[in-house]
Amino acid sequence: EVQLVESGGGLVQPGGSLRLSCADSAFTIKNYWMSWVRQAPGKGLEWVANINEDGSEKYYVDSVKGRLTIYRDNAMDSLYLQMNSLTAEDTAVYYCVKYATAMVWSWGQGTLVTVSS
Amino acid sequence: QAVVTQEPSLTVSPGGTVTLTCGSSTGAVTSGHYPYWFQQKPGQAPRTLIYDTSNKDSWTPARFSGSLLGAKAALTLSGAQPEDEADYYCLLSYGAAVVFGGGTKLTVL
């Protein structure tokens, strides 16, 4: 059953901004760490950022620090990724992931972000 | 940040056995890295195959197993089936940060 649904992807110009959203139809987001993982066309998976259950801890891959911001709204059962100063290297499918330490990762179906003029 | 290494590609015969490995640039992979293995088929999202070194997700076929092998995490497929042809990614945890390996393209031929 589909639980995580990403939205907000699309075409954006270099230097532009975009906000991705991830909705949890299981309404359990507050109990889990959440993460964004991306996959550039024809490439492998790259972890982007994660956030703990109450949003007090956030971690990022070096290449996105200062440009991408992960945050969550547990009351809305939603995860977000604010993406600023985008470059062509940010072009990828972005997946939302829900997990607990040493437990199964549950993945969304992904949303495509294309950075191009 | 650490670099996680995997074989870029492997080939296995139908019914055969193959082992994929996952190494870390920081040293030996241990249970403290909580090794994961994900399977991804073309056009699909990844899905968890193995978590926490050797635990299987509810859908994981019995022919897949995870372990620590020497200084690496390992995914062994015993009795390969055509539907096992896919990309396989390992993931290691370094505290709260995580790193994916580059992936192994497994061909069943």
Side-chain angles (χ1 to χ4, degrees), chain A residues 39 47 50 59 102-103 105 108, chain B residues 1 36 40 45 48 51 91 96 98:
Chain A
Q39 186 170 35
W47 168 72
N50 59 12
Y59 302 89
M103 297 299 290
W105 279 37
Chain B
Q1 287 166 326
Y36 282 74
Q40 187 181 35
T48 303
Y51 65 96
L91 174 84
V98 298

Side-chain angles (χ1 to χ4, degrees), chain A residues 105 107, chain B residues 36-40 47-48 87-89 91 100:
Chain A
W105 279 37
W107 297 72
Chain B
Y36 282 74
W37 292 93
F38 302 98
Q39 182 192 68
Q40 187 181 35
R47 50 179 181 171
T48 303
D87 293 327
Y88 293 85
Y89 294 92
L91 174 84
F100 284 94

Side-chain angles (χ1 to χ4, degrees), chain B residues 35-85:
Chain B
Y36 282 74
W37 292 93
F38 302 98
Q39 182 192 68
Q40 187 181 35
K41 294 184 176 181
Q44 297 182 14
R47 50 179 181 171
T48 303
L49 191 62
I50 298 289
Y51 65 96
D52 193 17
T53 305
S54 59
N55 296 294
K56 300 179 184 182
D57 198 351
S58 56
W59 73 273
T60 303
R63 59 185 178 273
F64 287 95
S65 63
S67 65
L68 295 177
L69 197 62
K72 296 183 178 183
L75 175 70
T76 299
L77 170 58
S78 302
Q81 301 297 310
E83 61 265 31
D84 300 327
E85 187 161 295

Side-chain angles (χ1 to χ4, degrees), chain A residues 13-24:
Chain A
Q13 292 189 336
S17 298
L18 210 57
R19 189 185 79 158
L20 305 184
S21 301
C22 172
D24 179 12

Side-chain angles (χ1 to χ4, degrees), chain A residues 33-38 45-51 58-62 97 99-103 105 107, chain B residues 1-4 24 32-36 38 90-101:
Chain A
W33 280 71
M34 301 293 293
S35 186
W36 288 100
V37 174
R38 68 185 179 183
L45 301 173
E46 180 185 36
W47 168 72
V48 173
N50 59 12
I51 186 169
K58 302 176 184 182
Y59 302 89
Y60 300 91
V61 68
D62 286 346
V97 184
Y99 65 100
T101 301
M103 297 299 290
W105 279 37
W107 297 72
Chain B
Q1 287 166 326
V3 175
V4 176
S24 172
H33 290 99
Y34 304 107
Y36 282 74
F38 302 98
C90 71
L91 174 84
L92 299 179
S93 299
Y94 298 87
V98 298
V99 181
F100 284 94

